[in-house]
Amino acid sequence: MKNFLLLPALLVGSILMAQDTYLHCGKIVDVQSGKTLSEKTIVVSGKSIKSIQNGYQAGGAEDIVIDLKDKTVMPGFIDMHVHIEGQSSPQSYIQRFTLNEADVAFQSTVYAKNTLMAGFTTVRDLGGSGVNIALRKAIAKGSVVGPRIFTAGKAIGTTGGHADPTNGMKKELMGDPGPKEGVVNSPEDGKKAVRQRYKDGADVIKITATGGVLSVAKSGQNPQFTIEEIKAITETAKDYGMLTAAHAHGDEGMQRAVLGGIKTIEHGTLMSDETMDLMVKHNAFLVPTITAGKQVTEKAKIQGYFPAVVAKKASEIGPKIQGMFQRAVKKGVPIAFGTDAGVFPHGENAREFIYMAEAGMPIMDAIKSATVTNAELLGMGDSLGQLKEGFLADIIAVNDNPKDNVETLMDVAFVMKEGQVHKSL
């Protein structure tokens, strides 16, 4: 009798397991070639793409059909530079002293959901307090809705440098942070800091090769690491299979970063032609973050939004990023899509596409940088970044063809991540 009663349950379970989702796509963007294909059906089984078929296929009676016939369908976007724990506001600097770790964690869940709803199914988080590691785990478990996260945990800087967490504090609070806190002053410190991040659970390594805009420090562009320190960090990161990134505005710091083995240069504001040639030679990628540059430029005009020392740097650095990007594209510098979301509101990441197009990058090249290129950099080129059989079903849809209307990328109508629909029509 017990076996007999168990039979219906087993049958129901097998039916549910067999259920596939059929996406009827009016247009599909082949991001590898830049071509747009018409009238296709993407069959999703479990977390992956089972097949892509011509025409609109019906599937079985138990299967789900989603009508995207009037949409343009693409793989989910990948943003290589976000700060998922926070979001810029006039209170940001005081919040370092008023928010508890739990406050930061709860806020981050909102930012994560906004990011996913905007069509970004994967992000690389380049520095926070360490809450970003816990958030990554919670999203992976399904406890929180958000993008797949590759995180640096806490970024690595030098004493008084852009990632020194005690900048701007009174002496009693400054102390002497070291490798555990992400502050290094020698090659040995650099090795220890990388190993600490690995121990903490970080996926990637981020250093601040030069001064920065939003830290409470005088210079926004001076070099802050020696080549020897950078090499120690990149070589150790390589041992642990971790991709490396360097925040950099000043040219000398960028050159040291590239020569030291850093793979991605973030921002790149004052990059010279010589450095661009160096990046081409070493196959180092520029992550432009134009949107962040425009945001800090505008906010610097608002009295009291930033501390005075920050407002000055924002006014000097922010307006120059898009022009540098335009030169880099003409030079053939490899480009990886990244925005610095958190400096501007999470969920507006796709604005970067508009600014990239304004600067002369063909929109299909920009989309490729946010899909194929970024997936390969993250070591996920065989499962992310394309709509292909066997790839993870990270699928989004917009209302228009981005070739005709780039702003359509700001209005994502459908979001699926690993076969689960998070935003529907």
Side-chain angles (χ1 to χ4, degrees):
M1 178 63 74
K2 288 182 179 179
N3 289 338
F4 179 75
L5 292 174
L6 199 58
L7 185 60
L10 290 172
L11 288 172
V12 170
S14 66
I15 290 171
L16 290 175
M17 289 293 290
Q19 188 179 66
D20 291 337
T21 300
Y22 283 63
L23 304 180
H24 290 172
C25 309
K27 292 182 175 62
I28 286 182
V29 175
D30 180 343
V31 291
Q32 185 69 267
S33 67
K35 295 179 180 178
T36 303
L37 311 175
S38 298
E39 296 189 5
K40 299 284 185 179
T41 297
I42 301 176
V43 183
V44 175
S45 183
K47 295 182 177 183
S48 303
I49 296 173
K50 184 176 181 179
S51 64
I52 299 179
Q53 303 175 14
N54 293 326
Y56 300 133
Q57 305 302 319
E62 72 279 6
D63 294 323
I64 298 169
V65 176
I66 297 177
D67 185 355
L68 301 174
K69 294 189 183 98
D70 62 346
K71 308 297 178 188
T72 298
V73 179
M74 293 171 283
F77 296 137
I78 304 170
D79 190 331
M80 290 291 272
H81 191 136
V82 305
H83 296 282
I84 204 78
E85 287 185 14
Q87 191 164 283
S88 177
S89 76
Q91 292 78 42
S92 295
Y93 293 89
I94 193 65
Q95 284 176 346
R96 290 191 296 164
F97 303 98
T98 61
L99 293 183
N100 295 309
E101 190 175 59
D103 298 320
V104 174
F106 279 116
Q107 283 185 347
S108 72
T109 64
V110 177
Y111 304 143
K113 184 175 182 180
N114 290 347
T115 301
L116 181 62
M117 294 305 105
F120 287 80
T121 54
T122 305
V123 298
R124 184 175 64 162
D125 182 286
L126 286 187
S129 66
V131 163
N132 41 26
I133 295 173
L135 178 65
R136 179 203 65 203
K137 293 177 181 177
I139 291 171
K141 288 178 180 177
S143 304
V144 172
V145 174
R148 183 181 300 101
I149 296 177
F150 293 80
T151 182
K154 165 71 178 66
I156 301 172
T158 56
T159 295
H162 184 54
D164 184 334
T166 63
N167 277 337
M169 295 183 184
K170 63 180 183 178
K171 290 182 180 179
E172 289 84 351
L173 296 177
M174 278 186 182
D176 186 21
K180 185 176 181 181
E181 294 78 25
V183 179
V184 307
N185 290 287
S186 69
E188 289 306 310
D189 277 358
K191 292 177 184 178
K192 186 173 182 179
V194 171
R195 290 167 180 156
Q196 181 66 51
R197 263 119 213 90
Y198 175 78
K199 180 179 179 180
D200 293 342
D203 309 292
V204 299
I205 294 296
K206 188 245 187 119
I207 70 168
T208 53
T210 76
V213 171
L214 297 181
S215 55
V216 188
K218 182 178 180 180
S219 177
Q221 56 185 279
N222 66 311
Q224 298 187 342
F225 281 81
T226 65
I227 291 181
E228 290 73 25
E229 289 167 339
I230 295 171
K231 284 183 176 179
I233 288 169
T234 58
E235 288 169 4
T236 307
K238 184 178 180 181
D239 287 343
Y240 288 87
M242 302 169 89
L243 178 66
T244 55
H247 154 104
H249 291 296
D251 194 55
E252 173 62 25
M254 284 179 232
Q255 291 200 17
R256 294 183 192 181
V258 174
L259 292 172
I262 291 288
K263 190 62 176 178
T264 69
I265 299 296
E266 316 297 309
H267 318 304
T269 311
L270 303 176
M271 189 182 295
S272 66
D273 287 349
E274 181 184 359
T275 301
M276 290 181 183
D277 291 337
L278 199 63
M279 291 184 69
V280 172
K281 178 181 178 181
H282 290 270
N283 196 34
F285 286 73
L286 169 65
V287 181
T289 70
I290 305 167
T291 311
K294 290 185 176 291
Q295 173 82 354
V296 299
T297 301
E298 290 305 309
K299 296 304 182 185
K301 298 173 184 177
I302 302 172
Q303 187 70 29
Y305 190 94
F306 293 132
V309 66
V310 173
K312 182 177 184 298
K313 291 185 292 180
S315 298
E316 293 170 350
I317 296 292
K320 297 178 181 177
I321 294 181
Q322 191 174 30
M324 174 280 305
F325 173 75
Q326 186 173 41
R327 289 173 42 239
V329 171
K330 290 179 180 178
K331 270 277 191 179
V333 175
I335 305 296
F337 182 98
T339 68
D340 213 357
V343 172
F344 61 91
H346 294 282
E348 295 184 10
N349 310 55
R351 196 173 298 281
E352 190 80 10
F353 289 116
I354 298 171
Y355 297 140
M356 293 168 87
E358 283 180 359
M361 188 175 202
I363 188 56
M364 287 303 171
D365 288 352
I367 290 172
K368 185 176 181 180
S369 76
T371 51
V372 175
T373 299
N374 285 355
E376 290 175 349
L377 281 170
L378 290 171
M380 299 287 286
D382 60 351
S383 57
L384 283 180
Q386 297 184 64
L387 300 178
K388 290 179 68 174
E389 183 178 326
F391 276 51
L392 288 171
D394 283 16
I395 302 170
I396 67 170
V398 294
N399 294 310
D400 299 322
N401 189 330
K403 280 185 177 180
D404 305 320
N405 176 20
V406 64
E407 293 194 4
T408 194
L409 300 174
M410 289 286 295
D411 184 22
V412 172
F414 174 85
V415 177
M416 171 183 281
K417 178 189 161 201
E418 293 190 1
Q420 182 177 350
V421 175
H422 290 279
K423 187 176 187 180
S424 58
L425 305 179

Coordinates of all heavy atoms in Angstrom, one line a residue, residues 23 46 52 59 82 102 116-117 121 138 175 194-195 212 223 236 258 269 281 284 304 313 320 356 362 367 376 387 420:
L23 N 10.7 30.0 -24.9 CA 10.7 31.5 -25.1 C 10.5 31.8 -26.6 O 11.4 31.4 -27.4 CB 11.9 32.1 -24.6 CG 12.3 31.9 -23.2 CD1 13.6 32.6 -22.8 CD2 11.2 32.3 -22.2
G46 N 15.6 23.4 -16.8 CA 16.4 23.6 -15.6 C 17.0 25.0 -15.6 O 16.4 26.0 -15.8
I52 N 18.1 26.1 -29.2 CA 17.5 27.2 -29.9 C 17.0 26.8 -31.3 O 17.8 26.3 -32.1 CB 18.6 28.4 -30.0 CG1 19.1 28.8 -28.7 CG2 18.0 29.6 -30.8 CD1 20.1 29.9 -28.7
G59 N 6.2 23.0 -27.9 CA 6.5 22.2 -26.8 C 5.4 21.3 -26.4 O 4.4 21.2 -27.1
V82 N 31.0 47.2 -10.0 CA 30.0 47.8 -9.1 C 30.4 47.8 -7.7 O 31.4 47.1 -7.3 CB 28.6 47.0 -9.2 CG1 28.2 46.9 -10.7 CG2 28.8 45.6 -8.6
A102 N 24.8 45.0 9.8 CA 23.5 44.5 9.4 C 22.7 45.6 8.6 O 22.0 45.2 7.6 CB 22.7 44.2 10.6
L116 N 19.6 43.3 -10.8 CA 19.0 42.2 -11.6 C 17.9 42.6 -12.4 O 17.8 42.3 -13.6 CB 18.6 41.1 -10.6 CG 18.1 39.8 -11.3 CD1 19.2 39.2 -12.2 CD2 17.6 38.8 -10.3
M117 N 17.0 43.4 -11.9 CA 15.8 43.9 -12.6 C 16.2 44.7 -13.8 O 15.4 44.9 -14.8 CB 14.8 44.6 -11.7 CG 14.2 43.8 -10.6 SD 13.3 42.4 -11.2 CE 14.4 41.1 -10.7
T121 N 22.6 40.2 -14.9 CA 22.5 39.0 -14.2 C 23.8 38.5 -13.5 O 23.8 37.6 -12.7 CB 22.1 37.8 -15.2 OG1 23.0 37.8 -16.3 CG2 20.7 38.1 -15.7
A138 N 24.3 34.5 -0.2 CA 22.9 34.5 0.0 C 22.2 34.4 -1.3 O 21.2 33.7 -1.5 CB 22.4 35.8 0.8
G175 N 44.6 54.6 13.7 CA 45.3 53.3 14.0 C 46.4 53.1 12.9 O 46.8 54.0 12.2
V194 N 46.5 39.4 -0.3 CA 45.8 38.5 -1.3 C 45.3 37.3 -0.6 O 44.2 36.8 -0.8 CB 46.7 38.2 -2.5 CG1 46.1 37.1 -3.4 CG2 47.0 39.5 -3.3
R195 N 46.2 36.7 0.1 CA 45.9 35.4 0.8 C 44.8 35.6 1.8 O 43.9 34.7 2.0 CB 47.2 34.8 1.5 CG 48.2 34.3 0.4 CD 49.5 34.0 1.0 NE 50.4 33.5 -0.1 CZ 51.7 33.6 0.0 NH1 52.3 34.2 1.0 NH2 52.5 33.2 -1.0
G212 N 42.2 58.4 -5.7 CA 40.8 58.3 -6.2 C 40.0 59.6 -5.9 O 40.5 60.5 -5.2
P223 N 50.5 58.0 -8.2 CA 50.7 56.5 -8.1 C 50.9 56.1 -6.6 O 51.5 56.9 -5.8 CB 52.0 56.3 -8.9 CG 52.7 57.6 -8.9 CD 51.6 58.7 -8.9
T236 N 50.7 36.4 -6.7 CA 50.0 35.6 -5.7 C 48.6 35.3 -6.1 O 48.0 34.2 -5.9 CB 50.0 36.4 -4.3 OG1 51.4 36.7 -4.0 CG2 49.5 35.5 -3.2
V258 N 49.8 47.9 -15.4 CA 49.9 47.0 -16.5 C 51.2 46.2 -16.6 O 51.2 45.0 -16.8 CB 49.7 47.9 -17.8 CG1 50.0 47.0 -19.1 CG2 48.4 48.5 -17.9
T269 N 41.2 57.5 -16.4 CA 40.9 58.8 -16.8 C 42.0 59.6 -17.6 O 41.8 60.2 -18.6 CB 40.5 59.7 -15.6 OG1 39.6 58.9 -14.8 CG2 39.9 61.0 -16.0
K281 N 49.5 45.9 -26.0 CA 50.6 45.0 -26.1 C 50.4 43.8 -25.0 O 50.6 42.7 -25.3 CB 51.9 45.7 -25.8 CG 53.1 44.8 -25.7 CD 54.4 45.6 -25.4 CE 55.6 44.7 -25.3 NZ 56.8 45.4 -25.0
A284 N 45.7 44.1 -21.7 CA 45.0 44.5 -20.5 C 43.7 45.3 -20.9 O 43.7 46.0 -22.0 CB 45.9 45.5 -19.7
G304 N 27.7 71.0 -0.7 CA 27.5 70.1 0.4 C 27.3 68.7 0.1 O 27.3 67.8 1.0
K313 N 38.2 67.2 -6.6 CA 38.7 66.1 -7.5 C 37.6 65.7 -8.5 O 37.9 65.4 -9.6 CB 39.1 65.0 -6.6 CG 40.4 65.2 -5.7 CD 40.8 64.0 -5.0 CE 39.8 63.6 -3.9 NZ 40.2 62.3 -3.2
K320 N 36.5 64.0 -17.7 CA 37.5 63.6 -18.7 C 37.4 62.1 -19.1 O 38.1 61.7 -20.0 CB 38.9 63.8 -18.1 CG 39.2 65.3 -17.8 CD 40.6 65.5 -17.2 CE 40.9 67.0 -16.9 NZ 42.1 67.2 -16.2
M356 N 28.8 55.1 -24.1 CA 29.8 54.4 -24.9 C 29.5 54.6 -26.4 O 30.4 54.9 -27.2 CB 29.8 52.9 -24.6 CG 30.3 52.5 -23.3 SD 30.0 50.8 -22.8 CE 31.5 50.0 -23.5
P362 N 30.5 51.3 -31.6 CA 29.3 50.7 -32.1 C 28.5 49.9 -31.0 O 29.1 49.2 -30.2 CB 29.8 49.7 -33.2 CG 31.1 50.3 -33.6 CD 31.7 50.9 -32.4
I367 N 27.7 46.0 -26.4 CA 27.0 44.8 -25.9 C 27.9 43.6 -25.8 O 27.8 42.9 -24.8 CB 25.7 44.6 -26.7 CG1 24.7 45.7 -26.5 CG2 25.1 43.2 -26.4 CD1 23.5 45.6 -27.5
E376 N 34.3 35.9 -20.5 CA 35.7 35.3 -20.7 C 36.6 35.8 -19.6 O 37.4 35.0 -19.1 CB 36.2 35.6 -22.1 CG 35.4 34.9 -23.2 CD 35.9 35.3 -24.6 OE1 36.6 36.3 -24.7 OE2 35.5 34.6 -25.6
L387 N 23.8 33.3 -25.9 CA 22.6 32.5 -26.0 C 23.0 31.3 -26.8 O 23.0 31.3 -28.0 CB 21.4 33.2 -26.6 CG 20.9 34.5 -25.8 CD1 19.8 35.1 -26.6 CD2 20.5 34.1 -24.4
Q420 N 15.2 30.8 -14.1 CA 14.1 31.3 -13.2 C 13.7 32.8 -13.7 O 14.6 33.6 -13.8 CB 14.5 31.4 -11.8 CG 13.4 31.9 -10.8 CD 13.9 31.8 -9.4 OE1 14.9 31.3 -9.0 NE2 13.1 32.4 -8.5

